[in-house]
Amino acid sequence: MDHSAEGAAAADAPRQDDAPEIRPLPALVIDQIAAGEVVERPASVVKELVENALDAGARRVLVELDGGGIDLIRITDDGRGISAAQLPLAVAPHATSKIRAADDLDRIATMGFRGEALASIASVSRLTIRSRSREGDGHQLVVEGGSSSGVRPASGAFGTSVEVRTLFYNTPARRKFLKTATTEQTRCVEAVRHLAMGRPDVAFEVTTGGRRLLELAGGQSPRERALDVLGRELEGELIECSADRFDDARGMTMWGLVGRPSLARATNRSQHVLLNGRVIRDKTVQHALREAYRGLMEPGRHPTAVLLLEMTPEAVDVNVHPAKTEVRFRDSSMVHQTVLRAVRDALRGADLTPTFTPREARPASEHAVLPMQQSNGAVTMTARDFTAFFKRQEPSSGTEPPSFEAMRHTLERGDEEPTGSAEREPAPDETAPFEATGAEPIIESKPAPSKLQVHDSYLITQDDEGVVIIDQHALHERVMFEALLARVSEGPLESQRLLTPAIAEATPTQIDGLPRLSGVFAVIGVEAEAAGPRSVAVHAFPSLLFERRVEPEAFMVDLLERAERETFDPDNEEALRDVLDMMACKAAVKAGDGLSAMEIDALIDLRERVERSSSCPHGRPTSVRLTLRELERLFHRS
Ligand code: ADP
Ligand code: MG
């Protein structure tokens, strides 16, 4: 068939439907489209070129920027270089020295493998590569608007220098999206900082107009490098974490530094997650990290973190996105678990109480973990503490409340009316409000520090470091939450059968959703059923909420509302935590509740024995510390 004749005829004939003609694109446009995915801004060029330098075995990488990288990016390395014969191939699309066959995609050990970056960058800039390998002399190649000059001799040291000028000069749409030179420059430096985390052995330098923006010495340990990148002054704010699950081909190792909650930021820019040296953005890792900080930080904040993950290349697919920052783990739940555990354990082992001391005035050594708060991850509360803590009653209203033992007895006998009559109208308990902290006397070598409640809301005490001010509600909530969490791992919570069911209002959708909640109900000791198109009857209710005078109706209304949230998945352990969290909040002493001396003692004592006591389950701090040093400063004594 004569294609051209047919084409001409088709072009001449008036097209009724105005169907656009299909034509193959010119090579330059193809490259520019590809560049759209890889080269978004100067920082992406920096990333690709630094990766190339690292793949070439560089020990030093110098990045020079002009106009935020928009006018010029020049990256010089001392790697193995490119021979004269190979130079044109380096800028050809889909040409790479890093893989040969499809199989190789399953075990990528280099940063690059797509053979696309240089060609893409060359299609949207004026690019010059100068290179000298060990074998030969130096030479260079210039590419502009997709067409390249021939290879010409050039002088130069061993290694490669890639110069990218006037980025997006021929794609004005892209250029319009660029931010100010200052912003682009910041992003370029950030790209180098990210990559540098994974290669502490390599020296990096970033300059602009002769000014040094970043300088990192080579031959560093991962810790030294991480501190140099994040800032040495943060050393005391960072906690080391590690994991080693490298027991089989699917395993992984991890080392990291994670910031105290007080170091959290509004963006995730101070998070560095690298996999085998590759900077990645991965939902699984992000989620695990967020989970580890759950309750330690207000929602929407991002912890500072450096996480260096290593695994065999076979266990991960990096060929997911042109920018190569997304990956697919073969065993993502293992990755999730490993990261979560390592970070959570590290946080548990540290004293996270924030201090008032301004950062500048604080020598790093002052951040040493306090012995008092050092908890090694174990919940040290006894069952006794737990029950005692929920026994707080509002003072004055007549009859003696049932003891916990009496209640348990009642429960064991089934649905009989509990001893005492006052389940729903608890009575005074002036003598042993919290029953302090159990039977064992607290042995102390020196008199206990004085403790004080102010404005019926805050508790004040001292520790080795200074003065500690505690938000009584936040701390009690945390204590309750940890106790509940520990308690439910032993079995369902004790519950109290109601003489007459409490009737809570509910929407028809909430009522339809009731069966989904049966698992959660069973664990927390709630028995409830639909009692009409718009009401739910509560027949049994957790004893401890009862004792804390929480109304079953109000509790059920809140619980049903929470269960409607999109993120609430009753099959997930998180849902239970969510509910326990809510229980803890409702049961905790409130701001404005006057506490007896014994209660104050008990609460402060528990602070030292409960995990994550430095913040409430929502992440707000439970306590702040005014250090002696800071007091001296305030009183002009130092
Ligand atoms: P990729 O990195 O995916 O292979 P690139 O387009 O980034 O694709 O680079 C193409 C090829 O050019 C690389 O495979 C490599 O052989 C060579 N190359 C690029 N940059 C350098 C460098 N700085 N030093 C040595 N070789 C390089
Ligand atoms: Mg590359």
Side-chain angles (χ1 to χ4, degrees), residues 356-367:
F356 288 131
T357 320
R359 193 157 282 155
E360 330 76 74
R362 225 163 20 177
S365 63
E366 212 189 307
H367 295 284

Side-chain angles (χ1 to χ4, degrees), residues 373-404:
Q373 284 265 306
Q374 231 165 16
S375 120
N376 48 12
V379 179
T380 46
M381 287 180 79
T382 62
R384 177 113 197 186
D385 297 329
F386 173 72
T387 57
F389 227 80
F390 293 112
K391 296 211 66 178
R392 175 165 162 71
Q393 311 284 342
E394 279 268 301
S396 82
S397 71
T399 35
E400 189 74 4
S403 71
F404 187 80

Side-chain angles (χ1 to χ4, degrees), residues 48 52 98 112 117:
E48 292 295 335
N52 279 347
K98 298 169 194 177

Side-chain angles (χ1 to χ4, degrees), residues 48-49 52-53 55-56 77 79-82 89-92 95-98 111-119 131 160 162 324:
E48 292 295 335
L49 298 183
N52 279 347
D55 280 345
D77 66 55
R80 70 178 68 90
I82 310 169
L89 276 172
V91 294
T96 179
S97 57
K98 298 169 194 177
M111 303 276 185
F113 57 91
R114 301 174 59 92
E116 212 174 46
L118 285 180
S131 193
T160 305
V162 180
K324 302 166 292 177

Side-chain angles (χ1 to χ4, degrees), residues 428-448:
D429 195 359
E430 306 268 312
T431 44
F434 285 98
E435 262 180 24
T437 50
E440 322 92 76
I442 301 159
I443 299 161
E444 272 168 310
S445 51
K446 57 174 187 178

Side-chain angles (χ1 to χ4, degrees), residues 57-316:
R59 312 301 306 161
R60 275 201 80 77
V61 180
L62 169 65
V63 179
E64 292 164 279
L65 303 171
D66 253 342
I70 304 167
D71 300 336
L72 170 76
I73 298 168
R74 187 189 295 122
I75 302 209
T76 308
D77 66 55
D78 58 355
R80 70 178 68 90
I82 310 169
S83 70
Q86 294 260 286
L87 208 46
L89 276 172
V91 294
H94 314 296
T96 179
S97 57
K98 298 169 194 177
I99 59 169
R100 279 157 193 268
D103 277 0
D104 297 337
L105 284 172
D106 296 339
R107 39 176 178 280
I108 289 166
T110 49
M111 303 276 185
F113 57 91
R114 301 174 59 92
E116 212 174 46
L118 285 180
S120 294
I121 295 166
S123 74
V124 292
S125 70
R126 301 182 171 98
L127 180 124
T128 305
I129 308 188
R130 215 165 281 131
S131 193
R132 183 171 168 202
S133 60
R134 301 276 154 192
E135 292 78 42
D137 293 333
H139 31 263
Q140 73 170 38
L141 184 70
V142 180
V143 193
E144 188 170 336
S147 52
S148 71
S149 71
V151 176
R152 300 210 186 101
S155 58
F158 290 114
T160 305
S161 169
V162 180
E163 211 175 87
V164 177
R165 286 186 185 274
T166 50
L167 187 63
F168 301 137
Y169 77 98
N170 53 354
T171 50
R174 255 295 142 101
R175 206 178 160 102
K176 253 188 252 157
F177 279 99
L178 295 180
K179 300 276 192 303
T180 63
T182 322
T183 305
E184 297 300 340
Q185 176 178 299
T186 306
R187 298 200 181 181
C188 289
V189 177
E190 243 163 50
V192 179
R193 286 153 52 98
H194 274 298
L195 281 160
M197 283 286 190
R199 291 297 303 270
D201 53 322
V202 177
F204 291 88
E205 196 178 333
V206 184
T207 66
T208 184
R211 199 156 50 85
R212 202 172 274 139
L213 301 172
L214 180 75
E215 188 179 23
L216 297 166
Q220 292 188 306
S221 69
R223 185 184 171 85
E224 288 171 327
R225 173 56 56 89
L227 289 175
D228 271 0
V229 172
L230 294 176
R232 290 260 167 198
E233 71 282 3
L234 298 185
E235 182 160 17
E237 307 279 325
L238 297 163
I239 302 155
E240 203 164 309
C241 60
S242 63
D244 188 353
R245 306 241 331 218
F246 213 79
D247 41 4
D248 55 27
R250 306 170 73 111
M252 64 179 274
T253 61
M254 186 188 102
W255 177 89
L257 285 179
V258 293
R260 291 164 181 282
S262 51
L263 213 57
R265 298 280 180 267
T267 72
N268 62 4
R269 272 201 229 139
S270 51
Q271 277 177 17
H272 301 257
V273 180
L274 287 89
L275 170 66
N276 297 343
R278 185 186 303 281
V279 179
I280 59 164
R281 288 226 303 262
D282 180 70
K283 289 214 178 75
T284 305
V285 177
Q286 294 279 334
H287 185 267
L289 189 60
R290 228 179 307 121
E291 237 348 75
Y293 277 87
R294 189 189 163 92
L296 290 176
M297 221 162 48
E298 284 163 63
R301 307 279 294 168
H302 301 268
T304 296
V306 179
L307 301 178
L308 307 178
L309 283 54
E310 304 279 338
M311 58 177 69
T312 57
E314 283 91 345
V316 59

Side-chain angles (χ1 to χ4, degrees), residues 339-373:
V339 173
L340 174 59
R341 271 195 209 152
V343 178
R344 194 185 264 172
D345 288 352
L347 292 172
R348 279 181 183 171
D351 171 15
L352 303 175
T353 308
T355 73
F356 288 131
T357 320
R359 193 157 282 155
E360 330 76 74
R362 225 163 20 177
S365 63
E366 212 189 307
H367 295 284
V369 174
L370 291 184
M372 167 195 116
Q373 284 265 306

